[in-house]
Amino acid sequence: MLQFTLPAESSPTTVEERARILAAPGFGKHYTDHMAVGRWSQDRGWHDLHVDEPHDFSLHPATAALHYGQEIFEGLKAYRHPDQSIWLFRPEANAARFAHSARRLGLPELDERLFLDAVTRLVHTDQAWVPAHGGETSLYIRPCMFASEPFLGVRPASEATFFTIASPAGPYFADGPVGISLWVSRVHARATPGGTGDAKCGGNYAAGLAAQTEARRHGCDQVLFLDGAEHEWLEESGTMNVFLITQDGELITPELGTILEGVTRDSVLALAREHGLTPVERRIGMTEVRERCTAGTITEMFATGTAAAITPINRLLDGDEITIGGGDPGRRTIALREHLLGIQHGTRPDTRGWLTRVA
Ligand SMILES: *Cc1c(COP(=O)(O)O)cnc(C)c1O
């Protein structure tokens, strides 16, 4: 049976150096002692699957991914619980989404079982890198696949490389969740029907960077993308899905289609009723958001994604400024956030079987 082989020996980071990094890991700056790698070719299928010391790739200048963006990725986390055990949150959802993204981008599908094998073996090998329980820290895991065939013709590549790296992550909000501001992008869109909006591919991010720069220039933290045709309907914030809470207890989020189907989004929808909220997936326009924020019938807004779990949104900039609720993180947003983080970090019961033990 195909699986990722483990390294015979390795020269890990010293205990002291690792402790120094884990004391203040930041995000995406430090990497663990190993990576998982696998190769695919049309002739051989998946082969050479192994966990190895981190190493650079050497790429021919004609490598297809560099020219045509045939690349996909995933993001998930491992959490240390109070009893020191280590758990993944819904990794099978990431495996399924990776396969979906591969189909959309013309890349070979990696069997979901092999995806989980790569992730669990890497985390198990580098378990000393999962930060201590407490303080909302975790090990961020980044699987990725790219077209590695050197060929300048335009067609799905006949060679692909899969790899997974891991990076310790500090608390997203060191002093508790502060709300962010979103700049409503009326010019740039991130996706259109039939496009790649529902695939987790690097190209979507590249296409969103100009809007992100524009948001910063206007003093906002992130972008809020609208639909590409009418520039009216809410989509998402480029790296996070968005939610609105109404005075009468609806939890509204844009319906699936052109947005990325977030695992956090799905989890928040599942938790809604326990918080007295009715989950609603539907089209929602900026006209309605503006009117109802002004009237005070939309009281809270937040964004969801693996990196920050739930991020409160305090204001939107759309020509003029739209303040949400009192302009501070909402009460129900904070309650949902604490619930989700509690499940992930092992301090609230996991009644849905969302957690998978790794060590
Ligand atoms: C990954 C991602 C999200 C969040 O998905 P999670 O599974 O919750 O981390 C949202 N939007 C985009 C565009 C993404 O790439």
Side-chain angles (χ1 to χ4, degrees), residues 205-223:
Y205 279 71
L209 291 176
Q212 173 67 30
T213 303
E214 193 80 332
R216 296 268 170 181
R217 214 164 53 74
H218 288 86
C220 291
D221 300 295
Q222 293 274 343
V223 196

Side-chain angles (χ1 to χ4, degrees), residues 78-242:
Y79 306 86
R80 194 180 290 278
H81 284 191
D83 68 356
Q84 298 302 325
S85 58
I86 295 169
W87 302 75
L88 296 168
F89 182 73
R90 307 187 68 183
E92 56 292 328
N94 297 95
R97 190 169 67 190
F98 197 63
H100 170 79
S101 299
R103 281 192 294 274
R104 182 63 185 84
L105 272 287
L107 282 162
E109 260 182 67
L110 179 69
D111 189 284
E112 293 176 29
R113 188 187 56 75
L114 280 178
F115 177 98
L116 295 172
D117 190 52
V119 170
T120 52
R121 279 171 192 261
L122 177 64
V123 174
H124 192 271
T125 305
D126 284 339
Q127 54 185 275
W129 283 92
V130 182
H133 175 79
E136 294 181 9
T137 54
S138 59
L139 183 68
Y140 183 79
I141 304 153
R142 168 55 59 87
C144 181
M145 194 202 303
F146 66 96
S148 45
E149 182 190 11
F151 178 60
L152 288 181
V154 178
R155 57 147 168 76
S158 66
E159 289 169 30
T161 300
F162 166 79
F163 67 89
T164 301
I165 52 176
S167 170
Y172 205 84
F173 301 105
D175 306 310
V178 288
I180 61 167
S181 56
L182 299 185
W183 183 72
V184 181
S185 180
R186 292 276 177 178
V187 175
H188 300 292
R190 72 172 282 283
T192 48
T196 56
D198 68 339
K200 207 168 176 73
C201 61
N204 288 344
Y205 279 71
L209 291 176
Q212 173 67 30
T213 303
E214 193 80 332
R216 296 268 170 181
R217 214 164 53 74
H218 288 86
C220 291
D221 300 295
Q222 293 274 343
V223 196
L224 177 61
F225 285 109
L226 305 177
D227 72 289
E230 295 173 59
H231 299 289
E232 160 67 8
W233 308 99
L234 271 66
E235 297 237 319
E236 58 174 306
S237 97
T239 66
M240 291 184 282
N241 296 115
V242 294

Side-chain angles (χ1 to χ4, degrees), residues 50-70:
H50 60 283
V51 175
D52 204 352
E53 297 203 340
H55 55 267
D56 295 349
F57 293 126
S58 128
L59 301 176
H60 190 282
T63 298
L66 300 178
H67 299 269
Y68 309 124
Q70 202 188 354

